[in-house]
mmCIF file of all heavy atoms in Angstrom:
data_model
loop_
_atom_site.group_PDB
_atom_site.id
_atom_site.type_symbol
_atom_site.label_atom_id
_atom_site.label_comp_id
_atom_site.label_asym_id
_atom_site.label_seq_id
_atom_site.Cartn_x
_atom_site.Cartn_y
_atom_site.Cartn_z
ATOM 1 N N ILE A 144 15.120 -42.196 23.060
ATOM 2 C CA ILE A 144 15.627 -41.314 24.048
ATOM 3 C C ILE A 144 15.914 -42.032 25.385
ATOM 4 O O ILE A 144 15.088 -42.829 25.864
ATOM 5 C CB ILE A 144 14.524 -40.217 24.374
ATOM 6 C CG1 ILE A 144 14.064 -39.558 23.039
ATOM 7 C CG2 ILE A 144 15.022 -39.212 25.366
ATOM 8 C CD1 ILE A 144 12.682 -39.074 23.097
ATOM 9 N N ILE A 145 17.172 -41.828 25.824
ATOM 10 C CA ILE A 145 17.561 -42.573 27.094
ATOM 11 C C ILE A 145 17.579 -41.469 28.211
ATOM 12 O O ILE A 145 18.371 -40.451 28.159
ATOM 13 C CB ILE A 145 18.947 -43.184 26.944
ATOM 14 C CG1 ILE A 145 18.973 -44.211 25.788
ATOM 15 C CG2 ILE A 145 19.379 -43.903 28.282
ATOM 16 C CD1 ILE A 145 17.963 -45.351 25.948
ATOM 17 N N ALA A 146 16.721 -41.703 29.220
ATOM 18 C CA ALA A 146 16.614 -40.785 30.349
ATOM 19 C C ALA A 146 17.023 -41.576 31.644
ATOM 20 O O ALA A 146 17.159 -42.787 31.655
ATOM 21 C CB ALA A 146 15.211 -40.233 30.484
ATOM 22 N N SER A 147 17.096 -40.812 32.751
ATOM 23 C CA SER A 147 17.543 -41.378 33.987
ATOM 24 C C SER A 147 16.391 -42.053 34.770
ATOM 25 O O SER A 147 16.671 -42.704 35.758
ATOM 26 C CB SER A 147 18.218 -40.289 34.853
ATOM 27 O OG SER A 147 17.253 -39.203 35.140
ATOM 28 N N GLU A 148 15.178 -41.861 34.325
ATOM 29 C CA GLU A 148 14.028 -42.409 35.054
ATOM 30 C C GLU A 148 12.954 -42.852 34.093
ATOM 31 O O GLU A 148 12.833 -42.316 32.958
ATOM 32 C CB GLU A 148 13.421 -41.374 36.020
ATOM 33 C CG GLU A 148 14.311 -40.787 37.067
ATOM 34 C CD GLU A 148 13.588 -39.690 37.876
ATOM 35 O OE1 GLU A 148 12.365 -39.714 37.900
ATOM 36 O OE2 GLU A 148 14.293 -38.882 38.440
ATOM 37 N N SER A 149 12.190 -43.813 34.526
ATOM 38 C CA SER A 149 10.909 -44.099 33.767
ATOM 39 C C SER A 149 9.781 -43.350 34.355
ATOM 40 O O SER A 149 9.917 -42.681 35.383
ATOM 41 C CB SER A 149 10.680 -45.680 33.867
ATOM 42 O OG SER A 149 10.457 -46.026 35.213
ATOM 43 N N GLY A 150 8.655 -43.373 33.661
ATOM 44 C CA GLY A 150 7.446 -42.709 34.146
ATOM 45 C C GLY A 150 7.510 -41.200 34.056
ATOM 46 O O GLY A 150 6.703 -40.498 34.704
ATOM 47 N N LEU A 151 8.376 -40.699 33.213
ATOM 48 C CA LEU A 151 8.451 -39.222 33.063
ATOM 49 C C LEU A 151 7.365 -38.746 32.126
ATOM 50 O O LEU A 151 6.896 -39.483 31.214
ATOM 51 C CB LEU A 151 9.786 -38.814 32.470
ATOM 52 C CG LEU A 151 10.995 -39.148 33.302
ATOM 53 C CD1 LEU A 151 12.287 -38.778 32.577
ATOM 54 C CD2 LEU A 151 10.965 -38.438 34.672
ATOM 55 N N SER A 152 6.872 -37.532 32.312
ATOM 56 C CA SER A 152 5.921 -36.931 31.376
ATOM 57 C C SER A 152 6.646 -35.900 30.429
ATOM 58 O O SER A 152 7.768 -35.523 30.737
ATOM 59 C CB SER A 152 4.835 -36.159 32.182
ATOM 60 O OG SER A 152 5.422 -35.143 32.960
ATOM 61 N N VAL A 153 6.021 -35.677 29.314
ATOM 62 C CA VAL A 153 6.686 -34.824 28.264
ATOM 63 C C VAL A 153 6.295 -33.331 28.521
ATOM 64 O O VAL A 153 5.132 -33.028 28.562
ATOM 65 C CB VAL A 153 6.229 -35.263 26.895
ATOM 66 C CG1 VAL A 153 6.851 -34.418 25.813
ATOM 67 C CG2 VAL A 153 6.522 -36.735 26.660
ATOM 68 N N ASN A 154 7.295 -32.550 28.618
ATOM 69 C CA ASN A 154 7.091 -31.026 28.563
ATOM 70 C C ASN A 154 7.251 -30.461 27.164
ATOM 71 O O ASN A 154 6.394 -29.679 26.686
ATOM 72 C CB ASN A 154 8.081 -30.343 29.531
ATOM 73 C CG ASN A 154 7.584 -30.259 30.912
ATOM 74 O OD1 ASN A 154 6.598 -31.013 31.319
ATOM 75 N ND2 ASN A 154 8.206 -29.458 31.760
ATOM 76 N N THR A 155 8.320 -30.859 26.545
ATOM 77 C CA THR A 155 8.628 -30.447 25.211
ATOM 78 C C THR A 155 9.212 -31.565 24.405
ATOM 79 O O THR A 155 10.034 -32.332 24.908
ATOM 80 C CB THR A 155 9.651 -29.283 25.149
ATOM 81 O OG1 THR A 155 9.170 -28.241 25.945
ATOM 82 C CG2 THR A 155 9.902 -28.791 23.812
ATOM 83 N N ALA A 156 8.742 -31.789 23.124
ATOM 84 C CA ALA A 156 9.352 -32.776 22.290
ATOM 85 C C ALA A 156 9.156 -32.381 20.819
ATOM 86 O O ALA A 156 8.055 -32.354 20.309
ATOM 87 C CB ALA A 156 8.687 -34.171 22.496
ATOM 88 N N THR A 157 10.254 -31.973 20.209
ATOM 89 C CA THR A 157 10.204 -31.623 18.723
ATOM 90 C C THR A 157 11.325 -32.327 18.022
ATOM 91 O O THR A 157 12.443 -32.453 18.589
ATOM 92 C CB THR A 157 10.348 -30.096 18.551
ATOM 93 O OG1 THR A 157 11.657 -29.643 19.000
ATOM 94 C CG2 THR A 157 9.244 -29.310 19.352
ATOM 95 N N ILE A 158 11.012 -32.684 16.798
ATOM 96 C CA ILE A 158 12.009 -33.175 15.828
ATOM 97 C C ILE A 158 11.845 -32.444 14.537
ATOM 98 O O ILE A 158 10.697 -32.313 14.041
ATOM 99 C CB ILE A 158 11.835 -34.703 15.634
ATOM 100 C CG1 ILE A 158 12.067 -35.495 16.874
ATOM 101 C CG2 ILE A 158 12.823 -35.215 14.551
ATOM 102 C CD1 ILE A 158 11.779 -36.959 16.771
ATOM 103 N N ASN A 159 12.906 -31.854 14.077
ATOM 104 C CA ASN A 159 12.865 -31.063 12.840
ATOM 105 C C ASN A 159 11.871 -29.933 12.964
ATOM 106 O O ASN A 159 11.200 -29.528 12.016
ATOM 107 C CB ASN A 159 12.540 -31.949 11.623
ATOM 108 C CG ASN A 159 12.899 -31.273 10.307
ATOM 109 O OD1 ASN A 159 13.789 -30.388 10.211
ATOM 110 N ND2 ASN A 159 12.200 -31.581 9.257
ATOM 111 N N GLY A 160 11.685 -29.379 14.205
ATOM 112 C CA GLY A 160 10.867 -28.267 14.439
ATOM 113 C C GLY A 160 9.403 -28.633 14.486
ATOM 114 O O GLY A 160 8.499 -27.765 14.685
ATOM 115 N N VAL A 161 9.082 -29.957 14.462
ATOM 116 C CA VAL A 161 7.691 -30.382 14.578
ATOM 117 C C VAL A 161 7.425 -30.991 15.931
ATOM 118 O O VAL A 161 8.156 -31.835 16.464
ATOM 119 C CB VAL A 161 7.416 -31.489 13.480
ATOM 120 C CG1 VAL A 161 6.025 -32.016 13.603
ATOM 121 C CG2 VAL A 161 7.652 -30.824 12.095
ATOM 122 N N ASP A 162 6.270 -30.627 16.578
ATOM 123 C CA ASP A 162 5.894 -31.193 17.866
ATOM 124 C C ASP A 162 5.516 -32.639 17.742
ATOM 125 O O ASP A 162 4.649 -33.030 16.962
ATOM 126 C CB ASP A 162 4.657 -30.378 18.354
ATOM 127 C CG ASP A 162 4.200 -30.853 19.735
ATOM 128 O OD1 ASP A 162 4.915 -31.603 20.400
ATOM 129 O OD2 ASP A 162 3.137 -30.389 20.147
ATOM 130 N N VAL A 163 6.217 -33.497 18.453
ATOM 131 C CA VAL A 163 5.971 -34.970 18.514
ATOM 132 C C VAL A 163 5.540 -35.417 19.861
ATOM 133 O O VAL A 163 5.579 -36.635 20.138
ATOM 134 C CB VAL A 163 7.192 -35.769 17.950
ATOM 135 C CG1 VAL A 163 7.518 -35.447 16.511
ATOM 136 C CG2 VAL A 163 8.450 -35.467 18.831
ATOM 137 N N SER A 164 5.191 -34.517 20.724
ATOM 138 C CA SER A 164 4.840 -34.924 22.085
ATOM 139 C C SER A 164 3.693 -35.924 22.192
ATOM 140 O O SER A 164 3.658 -36.687 23.189
ATOM 141 C CB SER A 164 4.522 -33.658 22.893
ATOM 142 O OG SER A 164 3.457 -32.897 22.333
ATOM 143 N N GLY A 165 2.849 -35.868 21.169
ATOM 144 C CA GLY A 165 1.703 -36.877 21.190
ATOM 145 C C GLY A 165 2.100 -38.235 20.682
ATOM 146 O O GLY A 165 1.251 -39.161 20.642
ATOM 147 N N ASN A 166 3.352 -38.398 20.275
ATOM 148 C CA ASN A 166 3.788 -39.660 19.698
ATOM 149 C C ASN A 166 5.069 -40.194 20.420
ATOM 150 O O ASN A 166 5.956 -40.670 19.795
ATOM 151 C CB ASN A 166 4.146 -39.461 18.206
ATOM 152 C CG ASN A 166 2.980 -39.018 17.382
ATOM 153 O OD1 ASN A 166 1.978 -39.780 17.316
ATOM 154 N ND2 ASN A 166 3.023 -37.861 16.752
ATOM 155 N N ILE A 167 5.019 -40.154 21.755
ATOM 156 C CA ILE A 167 6.083 -40.639 22.534
ATOM 157 C C ILE A 167 5.587 -41.862 23.399
ATOM 158 O O ILE A 167 4.472 -41.820 24.001
ATOM 159 C CB ILE A 167 6.693 -39.600 23.496
ATOM 160 C CG1 ILE A 167 7.375 -38.542 22.638
ATOM 161 C CG2 ILE A 167 7.589 -40.154 24.523
ATOM 162 C CD1 ILE A 167 8.085 -37.479 23.395
ATOM 163 N N THR A 168 6.361 -42.914 23.382
ATOM 164 C CA THR A 168 6.072 -44.145 24.149
ATOM 165 C C THR A 168 7.081 -44.322 25.230
ATOM 166 O O THR A 168 8.304 -44.232 24.959
ATOM 167 C CB THR A 168 6.090 -45.343 23.227
ATOM 168 O OG1 THR A 168 5.107 -45.154 22.181
ATOM 169 C CG2 THR A 168 5.709 -46.604 24.023
ATOM 170 N N ASP A 169 6.644 -44.644 26.479
ATOM 171 C CA ASP A 169 7.543 -44.961 27.584
ATOM 172 C C ASP A 169 7.711 -46.474 27.505
ATOM 173 O O ASP A 169 6.798 -47.226 27.847
ATOM 174 C CB ASP A 169 6.912 -44.471 28.899
ATOM 175 C CG ASP A 169 7.823 -44.759 30.101
ATOM 176 O OD1 ASP A 169 8.854 -45.514 29.907
ATOM 177 O OD2 ASP A 169 7.532 -44.236 31.170
ATOM 178 N N ASN A 170 8.943 -46.903 27.201
ATOM 179 C CA ASN A 170 9.238 -48.332 27.050
ATOM 180 C C ASN A 170 9.703 -48.981 28.401
ATOM 181 O O ASN A 170 10.030 -50.160 28.447
ATOM 182 C CB ASN A 170 10.285 -48.506 26.004
ATOM 183 C CG ASN A 170 9.882 -47.976 24.680
ATOM 184 O OD1 ASN A 170 8.792 -48.200 24.188
ATOM 185 N ND2 ASN A 170 10.801 -47.182 24.073
ATOM 186 N N GLY A 171 9.832 -48.108 29.450
ATOM 187 C CA GLY A 171 10.337 -48.601 30.700
ATOM 188 C C GLY A 171 11.836 -48.462 30.847
ATOM 189 O O GLY A 171 12.504 -48.377 29.852
ATOM 190 N N SER A 172 12.292 -48.472 32.077
ATOM 191 C CA SER A 172 13.781 -48.430 32.336
ATOM 192 C C SER A 172 14.425 -47.166 31.803
ATOM 193 O O SER A 172 15.634 -47.208 31.437
ATOM 194 C CB SER A 172 14.487 -49.685 31.841
ATOM 195 O OG SER A 172 13.879 -50.865 32.498
ATOM 196 N N GLY A 173 13.714 -46.103 31.672
ATOM 197 C CA GLY A 173 14.257 -44.909 31.210
ATOM 198 C C GLY A 173 14.383 -44.766 29.686
ATOM 199 O O GLY A 173 15.028 -43.889 29.160
ATOM 200 N N ASN A 174 13.750 -45.692 28.985
ATOM 201 C CA ASN A 174 13.837 -45.772 27.519
ATOM 202 C C ASN A 174 12.541 -45.217 26.924
ATOM 203 O O ASN A 174 11.468 -45.741 27.258
ATOM 204 C CB ASN A 174 14.165 -47.215 27.070
ATOM 205 C CG ASN A 174 14.300 -47.308 25.572
ATOM 206 O OD1 ASN A 174 13.389 -47.092 24.831
ATOM 207 N ND2 ASN A 174 15.481 -47.819 25.158
ATOM 208 N N TYR A 175 12.604 -44.264 25.954
ATOM 209 C CA TYR A 175 11.425 -43.690 25.442
ATOM 210 C C TYR A 175 11.618 -43.627 23.893
ATOM 211 O O TYR A 175 12.786 -43.574 23.414
ATOM 212 C CB TYR A 175 11.196 -42.232 25.888
ATOM 213 C CG TYR A 175 11.006 -42.152 27.373
ATOM 214 C CD1 TYR A 175 12.090 -42.158 28.281
ATOM 215 C CD2 TYR A 175 9.729 -42.042 27.956
ATOM 216 C CE1 TYR A 175 11.946 -42.097 29.631
ATOM 217 C CE2 TYR A 175 9.530 -41.941 29.324
ATOM 218 C CZ TYR A 175 10.679 -42.017 30.176
ATOM 219 O OH TYR A 175 10.466 -41.908 31.514
ATOM 220 N N THR A 176 10.531 -43.691 23.170
ATOM 221 C CA THR A 176 10.591 -43.642 21.703
ATOM 222 C C THR A 176 9.642 -42.524 21.218
ATOM 223 O O THR A 176 8.490 -42.430 21.652
ATOM 224 C CB THR A 176 10.116 -44.995 21.050
ATOM 225 O OG1 THR A 176 10.964 -46.005 21.465
ATOM 226 C CG2 THR A 176 10.256 -44.828 19.473
ATOM 227 N N ALA A 177 10.145 -41.654 20.342
ATOM 228 C CA ALA A 177 9.376 -40.582 19.735
ATOM 229 C C ALA A 177 9.291 -40.805 18.217
ATOM 230 O O ALA A 177 10.405 -41.190 17.636
ATOM 231 C CB ALA A 177 9.990 -39.240 20.028
ATOM 232 N N LEU A 178 8.131 -40.736 17.643
ATOM 233 C CA LEU A 178 7.990 -40.886 16.180
ATOM 234 C C LEU A 178 7.668 -39.564 15.515
ATOM 235 O O LEU A 178 6.804 -38.839 15.881
ATOM 236 C CB LEU A 178 6.821 -41.880 15.917
ATOM 237 C CG LEU A 178 7.088 -43.379 16.356
ATOM 238 C CD1 LEU A 178 5.827 -44.212 16.078
ATOM 239 C CD2 LEU A 178 8.319 -43.927 15.706
ATOM 240 N N TYR A 179 8.448 -39.317 14.473
ATOM 241 C CA TYR A 179 8.265 -38.132 13.616
ATOM 242 C C TYR A 179 7.955 -38.536 12.194
ATOM 243 O O TYR A 179 8.660 -39.392 11.634
ATOM 244 C CB TYR A 179 9.566 -37.272 13.645
ATOM 245 C CG TYR A 179 9.671 -36.315 12.502
ATOM 246 C CD1 TYR A 179 8.798 -35.169 12.354
ATOM 247 C CD2 TYR A 179 10.677 -36.474 11.496
ATOM 248 C CE1 TYR A 179 8.920 -34.333 11.282
ATOM 249 C CE2 TYR A 179 10.747 -35.568 10.449
ATOM 250 C CZ TYR A 179 9.914 -34.522 10.373
ATOM 251 O OH TYR A 179 10.048 -33.637 9.287
ATOM 252 N N THR A 180 6.839 -38.087 11.680
ATOM 253 C CA THR A 180 6.421 -38.402 10.352
ATOM 254 C C THR A 180 6.642 -37.149 9.444
ATOM 255 O O THR A 180 6.176 -36.023 9.771
ATOM 256 C CB THR A 180 4.943 -38.803 10.269
ATOM 257 O OG1 THR A 180 4.701 -39.933 11.161
ATOM 258 C CG2 THR A 180 4.511 -39.120 8.890
ATOM 259 N N VAL A 181 7.406 -37.276 8.377
ATOM 260 C CA VAL A 181 7.710 -36.178 7.508
ATOM 261 C C VAL A 181 6.427 -35.775 6.790
ATOM 262 O O VAL A 181 5.714 -36.560 6.162
ATOM 263 C CB VAL A 181 8.743 -36.596 6.464
ATOM 264 C CG1 VAL A 181 9.082 -35.424 5.501
ATOM 265 C CG2 VAL A 181 10.044 -37.146 7.127
ATOM 266 N N ALA A 182 6.125 -34.439 6.890
ATOM 267 C CA ALA A 182 4.934 -33.923 6.282
ATOM 268 C C ALA A 182 5.341 -32.924 5.263
ATOM 269 O O ALA A 182 6.376 -32.238 5.351
ATOM 270 C CB ALA A 182 4.041 -33.273 7.334
ATOM 271 N N GLU A 183 4.469 -32.755 4.248
ATOM 272 C CA GLU A 183 4.760 -31.742 3.185
ATOM 273 C C GLU A 183 5.017 -30.385 3.777
ATOM 274 O O GLU A 183 4.169 -29.877 4.628
ATOM 275 C CB GLU A 183 3.579 -31.682 2.228
ATOM 276 C CG GLU A 183 3.748 -30.803 0.974
ATOM 277 C CD GLU A 183 4.768 -31.383 0.018
ATOM 278 O OE1 GLU A 183 4.700 -32.589 -0.298
ATOM 279 O OE2 GLU A 183 5.655 -30.612 -0.524
ATOM 280 N N GLY A 184 6.069 -29.751 3.352
ATOM 281 C CA GLY A 184 6.369 -28.398 3.883
ATOM 282 C C GLY A 184 7.258 -28.347 5.072
ATOM 283 O O GLY A 184 7.662 -27.211 5.481
ATOM 284 N N ASN A 185 7.612 -29.477 5.626
ATOM 285 C CA ASN A 185 8.552 -29.534 6.765
ATOM 286 C C ASN A 185 9.941 -29.041 6.251
ATOM 287 O O ASN A 185 10.148 -28.970 5.010
ATOM 288 C CB ASN A 185 8.704 -30.871 7.372
ATOM 289 C CG ASN A 185 7.517 -31.294 8.202
ATOM 290 O OD1 ASN A 185 7.438 -32.422 8.695
ATOM 291 N ND2 ASN A 185 6.549 -30.440 8.469
ATOM 292 N N SER A 186 10.834 -28.769 7.098
ATOM 293 C CA SER A 186 12.155 -28.310 6.711
ATOM 294 C C SER A 186 12.924 -29.432 6.064
ATOM 295 O O SER A 186 12.914 -30.562 6.577
ATOM 296 C CB SER A 186 12.947 -27.744 7.941
ATOM 297 O OG SER A 186 12.292 -26.622 8.469
ATOM 298 N N ASP A 187 13.559 -29.150 4.955
ATOM 299 C CA ASP A 187 14.524 -30.090 4.353
ATOM 300 C C ASP A 187 15.826 -30.137 5.156
ATOM 301 O O ASP A 187 16.263 -29.061 5.646
ATOM 302 C CB ASP A 187 14.814 -29.711 2.916
ATOM 303 C CG ASP A 187 13.655 -29.930 1.987
ATOM 304 O OD1 ASP A 187 12.692 -30.652 2.309
ATOM 305 O OD2 ASP A 187 13.647 -29.316 0.888
ATOM 306 N N VAL A 188 16.407 -31.290 5.276
ATOM 307 C CA VAL A 188 17.701 -31.393 5.986
ATOM 308 C C VAL A 188 18.659 -32.185 5.082
ATOM 309 O O VAL A 188 18.341 -33.324 4.675
ATOM 310 C CB VAL A 188 17.504 -32.108 7.320
ATOM 311 C CG1 VAL A 188 18.869 -32.286 8.074
ATOM 312 C CG2 VAL A 188 16.510 -31.416 8.211
ATOM 313 N N GLY A 189 19.814 -31.607 4.769
ATOM 314 C CA GLY A 189 20.776 -32.254 3.980
ATOM 315 C C GLY A 189 21.428 -33.469 4.599
ATOM 316 O O GLY A 189 21.427 -33.580 5.864
ATOM 317 N N ASP A 190 22.004 -34.358 3.797
ATOM 318 C CA ASP A 190 22.586 -35.538 4.367
ATOM 319 C C ASP A 190 23.821 -35.249 5.241
ATOM 320 O O ASP A 190 24.204 -36.026 6.106
ATOM 321 C CB ASP A 190 23.055 -36.458 3.199
ATOM 322 C CG ASP A 190 23.329 -37.876 3.698
ATOM 323 O OD1 ASP A 190 22.624 -38.423 4.566
ATOM 324 O OD2 ASP A 190 24.331 -38.475 3.226
ATOM 325 N N ALA A 191 24.449 -34.075 5.061
ATOM 326 C CA ALA A 191 25.604 -33.618 5.824
ATOM 327 C C ALA A 191 25.217 -32.823 7.025
ATOM 328 O O ALA A 191 26.108 -32.287 7.733
ATOM 329 C CB ALA A 191 26.558 -32.897 4.942
ATOM 330 N N ALA A 192 23.950 -32.679 7.300
ATOM 331 C CA ALA A 192 23.464 -31.815 8.388
ATOM 332 C C ALA A 192 22.783 -32.642 9.514
ATOM 333 O O ALA A 192 22.548 -33.845 9.312
ATOM 334 C CB ALA A 192 22.493 -30.780 7.850
ATOM 335 N N GLN A 193 22.565 -32.019 10.649
ATOM 336 C CA GLN A 193 21.898 -32.659 11.741
ATOM 337 C C GLN A 193 20.397 -32.259 11.757
ATOM 338 O O GLN A 193 20.107 -31.153 11.395
ATOM 339 C CB GLN A 193 22.608 -32.338 13.035
ATOM 340 C CG GLN A 193 23.944 -32.904 13.262
ATOM 341 C CD GLN A 193 24.642 -32.418 14.573
ATOM 342 O OE1 GLN A 193 25.155 -31.326 14.613
ATOM 343 N NE2 GLN A 193 24.603 -33.224 15.598
ATOM 344 N N ILE A 194 19.585 -33.180 12.176
ATOM 345 C CA ILE A 194 18.172 -32.894 12.369
ATOM 346 C C ILE A 194 17.937 -32.279 13.748
ATOM 347 O O ILE A 194 18.380 -32.848 14.757
ATOM 348 C CB ILE A 194 17.313 -34.193 12.209
ATOM 349 C CG1 ILE A 194 17.534 -34.797 10.864
ATOM 350 C CG2 ILE A 194 15.819 -33.896 12.466
ATOM 351 C CD1 ILE A 194 16.909 -36.147 10.710
ATOM 352 N N SER A 195 17.370 -31.113 13.816
ATOM 353 C CA SER A 195 17.156 -30.439 15.073
ATOM 354 C C SER A 195 16.253 -31.180 15.966
ATOM 355 O O SER A 195 15.217 -31.757 15.542
ATOM 356 C CB SER A 195 16.682 -28.983 14.874
ATOM 357 O OG SER A 195 15.358 -29.017 14.289
#
Side-chain angles (χ1 to χ4, degrees):
I144 305 153
I145 303 301
S147 58
E148 299 179 23
S149 60
L151 299 177
S152 59
V153 180
N154 273 16
T155 303
T157 66
I158 298 176
N159 197 27
V161 176
D162 182 10
V163 296
S164 57
N166 296 302
I167 292 187
T168 302
D169 183 348
N170 304 310
S172 301
N174 182 298
Y175 301 79
T176 302
L178 293 178
Y179 160 66
T180 302
V181 180
E183 186 71 43
N185 287 174
S186 298
D187 290 342
V188 179
D190 194 41
Q193 291 174 282
I194 300 171
S195 65

